[in-house]
Amino acid sequence: ALYMPAQKFEMVDKLNTASVFRTKAPAVSSVIVGQEANKLDSLKGNLFGLGGRVQLVDRLAAADAAIVAGEGAGKLSSTEAFQAQYFMRLADSTTQAAGQFITTGPVSIVSENTAFGKEYRYQSAKGPNLVDMSEHLEDASKAGLGADAERILTVQVAGERAEATPNGWARLLSSDPAAAKAEYLKDKATLAANPEAKKSIDAAKAVYKQYNNGLIDFIVQCGFITKLEGDRLKKTPFIPFYRIENNEVKLFTDKESSIRIGNIKENPDLQRMLGDEKTILPILTSAVQNTFMLSRAGLKNQATHKTADAMYKAGFASKIGKGSGPEGADVVRYKVDGDDHFAVIDSDTFGIPAHLIVKGMEGIKTTIPEIVRMMGIPANWVRKFVTRSPAYPVRQLIRDPLNAAIVGGVDGVPVLNALTTLAKIRAGRSPAEDALMRGLAISSNVYTGDEKDMQKFLQDISTGRGKWDKMLGMLDTFALQSDAATRVTIYEDAIKKGLSEARSQYRALESQNFSRRGLSPSIQVMNTLIPFFNAPCWNFTRCSAICSASFFPIARRNTSPSPSE
């Protein structure tokens, strides 16, 4: 300003005082010329009402309200509304689904005939899992392979894929294909000279093959790939081989074609799950990684498909069809039997803004900076310390049962019910707890809900765990069981009251669903930095939902209670 010419001072003074540049409210309203939203209106939109809930505590609040309103208006049946809500909410259960694959067996979509018609739900079955594979690796290690057992298994499976793929060795290790093949043949000779170790490695390979087949069947059921592609993939050797190309995460198959898993710009959590994508990771690590990636892809696709169908029937989507659809911020995309489909959600039916529905269905697109993640390490330590403390189960067994009795209307003596249930769970005599675990319906503070859970599961199944790791695993299990005790009580109460298996499991999950998240980047940062930040957010969600229902009642079904009620 010291060197500004005099005439420029005069111009600046005129600009500061002239009214020509100041927008005033017009005397006559216009359908063409609008007004910029003031800061107070923007603040209200982000902090209060449905928009506030979507931003701060529950990205799916608008979609949920749309489904309930559509049912109340008679555009959706009770079963259609429930199924949309069920698959929409279970889309955030990646950790639970992956955990069942890893520790129990394959997850699938099963059906049940109920008073409301046929209902569908997720359920795992006893079968090949990574725990079994880990035990075979432990046997191979004891048979003389030692710490090389996992590396040898990884090389053997990767080598079999390379042998079955044209130019496979160059694709496996482009820098030195000959060295890769030499390592494979050397390890093969080592196994031939040790029949006991070979038997264990072959058993691990057989379990691994069946395990991957279960993952493929799951994403076929969820419509993510075609059945023909699934059958082809199951016929050939497989080991996860991910690449990021043009911001897209791709899983390469035996023919070096690729399955698109997602876009890292739209879903930044995919890149965090992927980690190092330049080499083949040890087989247990890559198997856990692959399980999380495919579980997430299947759950998300199934949720988007069913929610889009519900939005169309309820009048929120103006167009739905096959293909990639038009470009636009109001378009959601998904797959049906492996083929691309789209839905244009652009109608503010029942006064519910369509853009809030679309934003929630698209998911959280916030990328947390690494510096913030580093700052969140102490919070993660505190979270682990608290959940592993003996005081944590005690508090859960008092707080959650009282909440279930007051808010959820669960019959019986609250704390006594939970203690009795926990005793059955600890003794392994609780079929209800097993049903909830296999139905992906256990939400717990033990899980972070992101890629950190991969490391936890990997630690739990790793061979050669020390006494310290085993003790920490036992403490985590006890904390998870204390969280599950009240959910089991709610589930059993729902079954007694005549609800179906799917609705009972859903009711237990939604009693305190810690996987709910708002879209706001600020909330994501605070959730990283503040331990258990999602717990008070969830309590706020339930209170706001109850208050909204009290002051702004909408039409409800005249049938047995369901989760939307």
Side-chain angles (χ1 to χ4, degrees):
L2 293 176
Y3 303 100
M4 187 179 290
Q7 62 269 27
K8 289 191 176 181
F9 272 117
E10 183 179 353
M11 181 182 295
V12 171
D13 183 62
K14 287 181 179 180
L15 288 176
N16 286 335
T17 57
S19 62
V20 66
F21 290 102
R22 295 176 184 175
T23 301
K24 297 181 179 179
V28 180
S29 62
S30 172
V31 296
I32 298 176
V33 181
Q35 294 290 309
E36 181 183 9
N38 59 47
K39 292 182 179 180
L40 182 59
D41 290 338
S42 299
L43 188 64
K44 287 180 179 179
N46 281 305
L47 294 182
F48 302 103
L50 192 57
R53 288 175 60 194
V54 170
Q55 286 291 329
L56 301 180
V57 293
D58 182 13
R59 66 180 178 85
L60 296 173
D64 190 71
I67 292 169
V68 174
E71 181 189 1
K75 295 188 176 184
L76 294 171
S77 69
S78 170
T79 301
E80 288 172 332
F82 165 70
Q83 291 290 189
Q85 287 177 311
Y86 175 88
F87 286 116
M88 182 176 71
R89 290 296 180 188
L90 268 291
D92 291 328
S93 296
T94 299
T95 292
Q96 289 85 339
Q100 285 301 297
F101 270 111
I102 291 167
T103 62
T104 303
V107 178
S108 61
I109 300 174
V110 299
S111 63
E112 177 188 8
N113 291 319
T114 73
F116 300 106
K118 184 172 284 190
E119 293 181 352
Y120 297 87
R121 69 179 190 276
Y122 295 115
Q123 180 175 293
S124 68
K126 298 288 184 183
N129 56 71
L130 292 188
V131 175
D132 293 341
M133 190 178 88
S134 178
E135 290 174 353
H136 289 305
L137 272 177
E138 182 71 14
D139 292 339
S141 180
K142 292 176 181 178
L145 298 185
D148 265 351
E150 186 177 0
R151 181 195 63 78
I152 289 175
L153 177 61
T154 306
V155 170
Q156 291 304 296
V157 175
E160 289 176 1
R161 172 176 171 175
E163 292 279 271
T165 305
N167 200 27
W169 291 108
R171 294 184 181 277
L172 179 63
L173 186 65
S174 57
S175 60
D176 197 343
K181 187 171 184 177
E183 182 179 354
Y184 166 71
L185 294 175
K186 180 182 177 181
D187 289 341
K188 195 171 183 178
T190 299
L191 292 176
N194 188 337
E196 187 179 352
K198 184 178 185 301
K199 181 180 178 182
S200 297
I201 290 294
D202 288 344
K205 284 196 297 185
V207 171
Y208 181 68
K209 174 66 176 172
Q210 295 170 19
Y211 177 84
N212 283 321
N213 288 349
L215 278 169
I216 292 168
D217 287 338
F218 177 68
I219 59 174
V220 168
Q221 257 198 314
C222 292
F224 193 71
I225 63 172
T226 65
K227 187 178 186 304
L228 184 65
E229 175 72 357
D231 291 340
R232 187 186 69 78
L233 289 174
K234 289 192 290 186
K235 291 178 182 178
T236 57
F238 173 80
I239 192 167
F241 200 37
Y242 286 96
R243 287 291 181 264
I244 297 179
E245 294 184 353
N246 298 322
N247 292 319
E248 289 190 347
V249 176
K250 296 181 178 180
L251 171 63
F252 284 85
T253 61
D254 59 302
K255 292 185 177 180
E256 299 311 318
S257 57
S258 61
I259 298 174
R260 182 185 180 275
I261 301 298
N263 187 291
I264 61 174
K265 283 188 175 181
E266 296 175 356
N267 304 284
D269 56 316
L270 285 179
Q271 189 168 22
R272 297 198 301 272
M273 280 189 179
L274 193 59
D276 181 11
E277 47 91 22
K278 296 180 180 179
T279 58
I280 290 181
L281 299 172
I283 197 163
L284 278 176
T285 304
S286 64
V288 170
Q289 175 198 72
N290 186 53
T291 303
F292 268 76
M293 299 285 277
L294 295 188
S295 295
R296 181 191 182 281
L299 291 171
K300 187 175 187 298
N301 189 73
Q302 179 74 2
T304 308
H305 175 197
K306 297 305 177 184
T307 306
D309 282 350
M311 292 299 120
Y312 182 68
K313 290 181 180 179
F316 289 88
S318 63
K319 191 176 182 182
I320 193 170
K322 192 172 182 178
S324 60
E327 293 295 326
D330 53 3
V331 180
V332 293
R333 296 178 176 84
Y334 51 96
K335 294 179 181 291
V336 179
D337 296 328
D339 294 327
D340 291 333
H341 280 68
F342 72 94
V344 181
I345 301 175
D346 54 359
S347 305
D348 297 346
T349 311
F350 309 118
I352 299 173
H355 75 276
L356 290 179
I357 299 174
V358 174
K359 284 182 179 179
M361 290 177 65
E362 287 176 343
I364 298 169
K365 298 183 178 181
T366 303
T367 302
I368 305 295
E370 284 303 314
I371 184 64
V372 175
R373 292 187 171 277
M374 291 177 64
M375 292 168 63
I377 292 175
N380 191 42
W381 288 345
V382 171
R383 185 184 294 109
K384 288 182 178 179
F385 175 81
V386 170
T387 57
R388 288 166 177 169
S389 166
Y392 176 81
V394 175
R395 293 193 184 99
Q396 294 300 93
L397 292 171
I398 295 174
R399 183 189 63 186
D400 286 359
L402 292 174
N403 178 73
I406 296 171
V407 179
V410 176
D411 296 335
V413 182
V415 179
L416 181 61
N417 282 352
L419 288 172
T420 303
T421 301
L422 179 61
K424 291 180 181 178
I425 293 173
R426 297 291 294 172
R429 293 183 288 102
S430 177
E433 189 249 356
D434 183 62
L436 287 181
M437 292 293 289
R438 293 193 297 115
L440 322 184
I442 297 292
S443 179
S444 172
N445 279 312
V446 174
Y447 300 133
T448 60
D450 56 26
E451 79 283 354
K452 297 186 188 72
D453 290 330
M454 290 196 303
Q455 298 302 319
K456 183 186 181 315
F457 279 113
L458 184 60
Q459 181 184 17
D460 289 344
I461 65 174
S462 294
T463 58
R465 292 174 63 200
K467 292 182 180 179
W468 176 253
D469 288 335
K470 289 180 180 178
M471 185 191 74
L472 293 180
M474 290 173 60
L475 292 174
D476 285 339
T477 299
F478 188 40
L480 179 60
Q481 289 173 339
S482 67
D483 280 330
T486 301
R487 275 74 170 176
V488 171
T489 302
I490 295 170
Y491 165 79
E492 291 176 330
D493 179 77
I495 291 291
K496 289 177 183 177
K497 291 177 178 176
L499 270 68
S500 65
E501 183 72 19
R503 292 176 190 247
S504 298
Q505 290 185 9
Y506 186 81
R507 184 187 179 201
L509 173 69
E510 283 293 277
S511 64
Q512 276 199 320
N513 187 349
F514 290 131
S515 65
R516 290 195 178 196
R517 297 286 189 275
L519 293 174
S520 170
S522 301
I523 296 298
Q524 304 311 314
V525 170
M526 287 196 290
N527 191 59
T528 301
L529 299 179
I530 303 173
F532 308 104
F533 185 75
N534 57 330
C537 279
W538 164 240
N539 289 329
F540 173 78
T541 303
R542 285 185 62 81
C543 291
S544 62
I546 292 170
C547 291
S548 298
S550 300
F551 290 108
F552 306 103
I554 60 174
R556 302 283 186 159
R557 68 178 72 89
N558 295 318
T559 57
S560 300
S562 81
S564 64
E565 295 174 310

